[in-house]
Amino acid sequence: MNRDKFREELEKRFLVLDGAIGTFLQREGLRPDAMPEEAVFEIPDKLRDIHRMYVDAGADIILTDTLGGTPMRLAEYGLAERIKDVNTTAIRLAKEAAGDRAYVGLCVGPSGSFIKPVGDKTFDELYDNFRAQAESVKDELPDIIVFETFSDIHELKTAVIAFKDALGEYDLPFIAHLTFQDNGRTLTGSSPEVMAVALEALDLDAIGANCSVGPEEMVGVIRELGRSTNLPISVEPNAGLPEIVDGKPVYTLTAEKFATYIDDFVDAGAGIIGSCCGSTPEFTKLIANSFKGRKPEKRNNKFGFRIASAREVYEVRDDKPVRIIGERINPAGRKKFKEELREGKFSILKKEAIVQAEAGAAALDINVSGYKHDEKLLLSKAVELAGQYTSLPVLLDNSNPEVLEESLKSVAGKALINSISGEDDKLDSILPLAKKYGAAVIGICLDEKGIPGDVEGRMKIAQNILYRAEQAGLKKEDVVLDAIVLSVSTGPEQVGITLETLKKIKAEFGNATTLGISNISFGLPERQALGSAFLMQALEAGLDLPIVDLLDPSTRNVVFSYNLLSGRDAGGKDYIKEMSARTGGIKITEDEPRSADKLAGLTGIDKIRYLTITGEKDLITDAVSKTLAAGEEPLDIVNNALVPAMKEVGDKFSRKEYFLPQVLLAAETMKAGFAVLKDKIKTGSNGRPANPIIFATVKGDVHDLGKNIVITLLESYGYNVLDLGKNIDAETILARSQEEKALCIALSSLMTTTMGEMKVITERAREMGVKIPIVVGGAVVTKSYAEEIGAEYGRDAIEAVKVITGIEKGLLGDI
């Protein structure tokens, strides 16, 4: 099925996705310790029958048994060499069940790893992983590609790009899902709006959510997604959360209760509805019956120019205040900044990112060009750091295609390329990169002949850039136009040409506009005053994205005043807040910029605590060493700085102020601080018992991402963790716990089919007289299940650390 046909069908009718197959596979004879994908070899007839049950129930799309069909996942069971057999056989079996009654969707699942700096994989490694699965199905194509159960927008983008590169010639429809937690965000902090902005730019056919939560929690996610995109929306909630019935995890939400949420999903914008974990063909039948005689309503949301980080969207609209793009990540004219970049150091860059974020920047313009260093490495690293230390979208200020491509790989959301001029070679090389990686571009009104000296010449270049962008597959609203600012010292007529071009761009094209305001005063004294005056003129002429020094009070005065006077600041709230907070402005020095910086003036314990909370890994070692040299006791540093800092990080996580990337960064910082203290503390790595925590993913389960996150946090607290790995049986876990005289045992499980192994372990522990506490956790594990089997419960990584700290103190839950 091609994309046009799929989109036409979605306009005419609702489509029904199938439901869960994992529980059926084991019921039908798949070995308990087998990978679900092994069903294509071990019980192919049964697998075909399961697919057919869903088709008979009314499914329009059935998904192949290939969620783990990439080399990384297959390798965990020694099946990487059989990748083609696994995927093509799964497609063939699904096609045999579907006949001409349903479409077959290739189910593509996550790798189990994160991209650096959150994880340990590079973009290229994950790209190769997903591309291998895509290449494996060229001889047995599915009808649709369906991405399922991804928890990280960056990994999902990587998977989509890899599949599009491999299968683009076949024009297959793509549907992409993320999993959202009960807080309405993904594990790495992305909102439905971020998802919409990042994935729309990759030209998908439908986006949505699956797994993790039940229909009640999922409705809010789909509502936000429906407000954030006009793409078709797909949704597959779980059948609620599992409960313990006769000692086994069971999804107790009935198909009838599930069906009561269908109208809510339709009202929210869903056009493709299915069910996930815990569901059966009965769910599918009720969904299909509810759609009889109904036709989807087309949404017509209006959006402006939008870019996004992994956690935040920046949108330009006439009814929203103008916001400033921070220009300070640029070493031009700054000797110390240049020297740092040459040495591969980033303290000034990080400080500039944080300062501008605190000052209210809408996005960060990042320029690390020239100065005898590796721009590919530095721009990519700068983008990573901006994502770690702020939640702001980025502008990639470079025109070298090789440098741009490498940095685009580091963008989790949607970047803005700054900039592309009207020369054919620039358009030919950069526009395809923007299309492939889902970026927007700034089109600057100059070409191989230079900068036109009149409005008509600049408009002609702008029109050509828009035409070429459309030919390359970019949307019109993804092109920001720059009318070009020249110094007024070259001739006062230049001001009028720039302003008139701005007005004509807005009137004739309607695109968002940007200018580098500081160029107007180049070579002249009192540059700030001149720049501020020109900025007000430009805003009145239609400037949307001013790229300026937002730490300059005069610049801020202009922007906040303009928003108030133009009616964009309703009630003057932003203006009053800004001016009321003024205490003489923000003082900056050229080489060491500082905001009303919390770090300024901090020393000793206070400084260490602050550096840990903010994740200043590069600075923590020096701070701990100096505090020790000043006479502070090692254990006092641990108990009064490092541990309280991580508690604050946990509190921020609970309040949804921090997400996984910030938590892991703080954990790494704390670990670096402990490294300085380790040899000076006698009893353990940080004053804690040397007895290890035995950690394992239980037998039958090869998922270890959650386990690895918890281990990172535990080690940052100074605990000695012995990681036994994944798919570990009860006897091995308990034997090692006795050999090592363990503090406790920690168990992880992602699947309902392996949860029962946790009960086996707790029961066997009692039989063997193993009395140390056992802590359980994982996506499907609940507190009631933990209580049922006599274990402690860690809802997430932060809570798991609190529980184990409580075990150490002999008072569970009290940290």
Side-chain angles (χ1 to χ4, degrees):
M1 178 172 56
N2 65 40
R3 298 178 67 196
D4 288 341
K5 180 182 176 183
F6 180 70
R7 291 181 173 185
E8 288 173 8
E9 192 152 6
L10 276 173
E11 290 180 2
K12 296 175 183 176
R13 68 185 183 106
F14 291 95
L15 294 181
V16 181
L17 271 164
D18 63 6
I21 66 170
T23 49
F24 286 103
L25 293 178
Q26 290 202 355
R27 191 182 306 167
E28 296 295 338
L30 183 65
R31 290 179 292 109
D33 61 344
M35 187 180 194
E37 287 71 15
E38 291 183 78
V40 304
F41 305 129
E42 294 197 0
I43 52 169
D45 293 340
K46 298 292 186 182
L47 177 57
R48 187 191 301 109
D49 290 343
I50 295 168
H51 285 318
R52 190 172 288 123
M53 285 193 301
Y54 280 108
V55 176
D56 291 342
D60 299 300
I61 303 170
I62 58 172
L63 301 183
T64 57
D65 182 22
T66 56
L67 185 73
T70 61
M72 286 183 179
R73 303 312 294 263
L74 292 170
E76 294 167 349
Y77 286 85
L79 294 172
E81 298 301 317
R82 300 192 69 183
I83 182 171
K84 184 172 182 178
D85 288 343
V86 169
N87 285 283
T88 57
T89 304
I91 294 170
R92 178 175 53 78
L93 290 170
K95 285 181 176 179
E96 290 170 359
D100 60 0
R101 295 186 296 161
Y103 300 117
V104 171
L106 178 73
C107 184
V108 181
S111 66
S113 300
F114 287 127
I115 295 175
K116 294 178 179 179
V118 179
D120 60 354
K121 301 297 182 186
T122 65
F123 173 96
D124 289 338
E125 286 173 325
L126 291 191
Y127 174 93
D128 291 344
N129 175 62
F130 291 113
R131 178 147 190 167
Q133 185 179 17
E135 295 285 352
S136 77
V137 304
K138 285 187 173 180
D139 293 335
E140 188 73 65
L141 287 172
D143 300 306
I144 306 170
I145 306 297
V146 184
F147 300 90
E148 296 257 307
T149 323
F150 282 76
S151 60
D152 176 42
I153 189 70
H154 202 172
E155 185 188 16
L156 179 53
K157 276 186 58 181
T158 306
V160 170
I161 292 167
F163 265 80
K164 280 186 171 284
D165 281 354
L167 301 178
E169 63 185 290
Y170 300 105
D171 198 33
L172 298 176
F174 280 47
I175 303 173
H177 300 92
L178 281 173
T179 61
F180 291 86
Q181 303 178 99
D182 55 10
N183 64 7
R185 296 262 185 164
T186 67
L187 183 62
T188 50
S190 298
S191 67
E193 185 184 19
V194 165
M195 178 191 192
V197 174
L199 296 186
E200 271 189 358
L202 294 177
D203 195 22
L204 297 179
D205 301 282
I207 60 175
N210 82 295
C211 205
S212 290
V213 296
E216 183 176 1
E217 297 84 0
M218 192 79 86
V219 166
V221 168
I222 300 304
R223 284 199 185 108
E224 184 177 345
L225 196 56
R227 293 190 296 265
S228 302
T229 183
N230 288 318
L231 282 177
I233 293 175
S234 175
V235 60
E236 301 170 274
N238 287 345
L241 293 174
E243 298 179 8
I244 305 303
V245 178
D246 296 328
K248 296 181 179 180
V250 175
Y251 286 91
T252 59
L253 185 72
T254 65
E256 290 76 13
K257 179 64 175 176
F258 185 98
T260 63
Y261 292 96
I262 293 172
D263 285 344
D264 292 329
F265 286 124
V266 170
D267 291 342
I272 306 171
I273 300 180
S275 51
C276 206
C277 300
S279 64
T280 66
E282 182 63 23
F283 287 68
T284 305
K285 182 178 180 180
L286 291 179
I287 295 170
N289 288 342
S290 73
F291 288 152
K292 288 180 179 178
R294 300 174 69 177
K295 182 179 178 180
E297 293 185 10
K298 192 170 183 177
R299 300 188 314 286
N300 192 29
N301 296 309
K302 302 296 183 184
F303 304 110
F305 161 79
R306 296 189 294 178
I307 53 175
S309 67
R311 299 185 296 280
E312 188 172 315
V313 171
Y314 167 43
E315 181 177 12
V316 171
R317 279 176 35 178
D318 290 342
D319 60 345
K320 289 189 172 185
V322 171
R323 295 178 62 198
I324 299 171
I325 308 295
E327 69 172 3
R328 293 185 58 84
I329 301 180
N330 188 332
R334 301 170 68 182
K335 182 179 178 182
K336 189 171 182 180
F337 200 167
K338 294 177 192 176
E339 290 173 351
E340 274 211 349
L341 291 177
R342 286 194 193 105
E343 297 169 3
K345 297 179 180 179
F346 300 95
S347 63
I348 292 177
L349 190 150
K350 288 190 294 186
K351 189 179 295 183
E352 290 287 15
I354 294 168
V355 165
Q356 291 179 102
E358 289 177 348
L364 298 174
D365 185 73
I366 302 178
N367 185 333
V368 292
S369 297
Y371 312 111
K372 299 180 181 179
H373 51 239
D374 185 344
E375 290 182 32
K376 285 174 65 174
L377 173 65
L378 289 180
L379 187 55
S380 181
K381 182 65 176 179
V383 171
E384 279 187 15
L385 291 170
Q388 280 185 294
Y389 289 93
T390 81
S391 61
L392 298 181
V394 294
L395 281 67
L396 307 177
D397 200 340
N398 200 288
S399 58
N400 183 319
E402 291 184 4
V403 173
L404 283 172
E405 179 157 25
E406 197 63 29
S407 62
L408 283 165
K409 294 175 182 178
S410 298
V411 175
K414 177 182 178 182
L416 175 59
I417 296 173
N418 182 19
S419 57
I420 180 172
S421 51
E423 297 101 319
D424 284 340
D425 61 335
K426 294 294 185 184
L427 296 169
D428 290 341
S429 60
I430 295 178
L431 287 175
L433 290 178
K435 171 65 175 174
K436 175 177 177 176
Y437 291 96
V441 298
I442 291 176
I444 187 167
C445 296
L446 67 86
D447 59 16
E448 62 277 357
K449 297 177 182 178
I451 302 172
D454 56 26
V455 175
E456 290 70 23
R458 297 186 190 188
M459 289 294 292
K460 186 176 180 180
I461 294 173
Q463 187 170 32
N464 182 54
I465 291 172
L466 287 173
Y467 171 75
R468 291 292 303 277
E470 182 183 4
Q471 294 298 109
L474 271 66
K475 295 180 179 178
K476 180 176 178 291
E477 55 267 30
D478 284 337
V479 181
V480 179
L481 293 172
D482 185 336
I484 298 187
V485 178
L486 295 176
S487 174
V488 69
S489 62
T490 65
E493 72 280 359
Q494 292 297 331
V495 176
I497 292 170
T498 297
L499 296 176
E500 186 60 28
T501 304
L502 268 182
K503 293 175 184 177
K504 292 200 74 171
I505 286 172
K506 299 301 288 187
E508 295 186 20
F509 303 142
N511 288 68
T513 60
T514 187
L515 289 174
I517 296 296
S518 61
N519 292 340
I520 195 71
S521 59
F522 186 77
L524 295 170
E526 298 296 332
R527 295 189 65 183
Q528 289 181 338
L530 191 58
S532 297
F534 177 67
L535 175 58
M536 180 59 83
Q537 288 181 302
L539 289 169
E540 291 174 347
L543 175 62
D544 297 302
L545 288 78
I547 302 176
V548 294
D549 182 358
L550 84 166
L551 301 185
D552 172 16
S554 62
T555 295
R556 297 174 69 84
N557 286 343
V558 170
V559 173
F560 282 92
S561 298
Y562 170 78
N563 285 332
L564 176 61
L565 295 172
S566 64
R568 293 186 175 209
D569 179 9
K573 293 179 182 178
D574 292 342
Y575 180 87
I576 293 170
K577 181 180 179 182
E578 168 74 10
M579 299 307 166
S580 297
R582 288 289 177 91
T583 57
I586 301 171
K587 185 176 180 181
I588 324 282
T589 65
E590 182 183 29
D591 288 330
E592 293 194 60
R594 294 186 183 276
S595 65
D597 191 353
K598 299 181 182 66
L599 188 57
L602 292 180
T603 59
I605 293 292
D606 292 335
K607 184 172 185 178
I608 294 169
R609 186 186 302 118
Y610 176 76
L611 292 175
T612 304
I613 292 170
T614 56
E616 291 284 358
K617 185 179 177 181
D618 295 341
L619 302 180
I620 193 73
T621 299
D622 181 65
V624 172
S625 298
K626 287 180 177 178
T627 304
L628 280 172
E632 198 75 50
E633 290 295 325
L635 278 177
D636 288 340
I637 295 175
V638 171
N639 294 327
N640 298 328
L642 295 173
V643 171
M646 286 305 294
K647 183 180 185 302
E648 175 62 19
V649 169
D651 292 342
K652 285 177 175 289
F653 181 81
S654 300
R655 296 194 300 266
K656 306 180 185 65
E657 296 173 16
Y658 270 17
F659 296 94
L660 181 61
Q662 295 99 319
V663 172
L664 292 179
L665 185 61
E668 291 173 3
T669 304
M670 188 180 189
K671 188 185 292 188
F674 277 133
V676 180
L677 303 170
K678 187 174 182 179
D679 295 336
K680 302 180 183 301
I681 300 174
K682 306 296 184 183
T683 58
S685 61
N686 71 325
R688 294 200 149 92
N691 310 64
I693 298 164
I694 301 295
F695 215 131
T697 302
V698 299
K699 182 179 178 182
D701 199 324
V702 296
H703 300 91
D704 63 357
L705 185 58
K707 170 177 68 68
N708 294 342
I709 291 169
V710 179
I711 288 173
T712 297
L713 289 184
L714 286 169
E715 289 178 340
S716 76
Y717 272 77
Y719 285 108
N720 177 15
V721 182
L722 180 57
D723 182 6
L724 300 186
K726 52 200 174 188
N727 193 22
I728 308 299
D729 61 62
E731 302 301 326
T732 300
I733 293 169
L734 293 171
R736 291 301 299 274
S737 71
Q738 291 181 306
E739 292 171 12
E740 303 289 342
K741 296 182 173 55
L743 175 68
C744 64
I745 296 169
L747 304 174
S748 175
S749 171
L750 185 69
M751 304 184 296
T752 55
T753 52
T754 58
M755 280 174 65
E757 188 67 18
M758 291 178 166
K759 183 178 180 183
V760 171
I761 294 169
T762 56
E763 290 178 344
R764 184 73 182 116
R766 286 191 287 270
E767 293 171 4
M768 294 173 61
V770 176
K771 296 181 179 180
I772 60 174
I774 296 175
V775 183
V776 298
V780 296
V781 180
T782 63
K783 185 174 183 180
S784 62
Y785 180 66
E787 293 172 347
E788 172 81 14
I789 65 175
E792 303 300 334
Y793 175 59
R795 182 175 64 88
D796 53 39
I798 295 293
E799 289 301 317
V801 172
K802 289 183 178 181
V803 168
I804 290 172
T805 303
I807 288 171
E808 178 197 355
K809 292 186 175 182
L811 184 62
L812 282 169
D814 183 15
I815 176 172

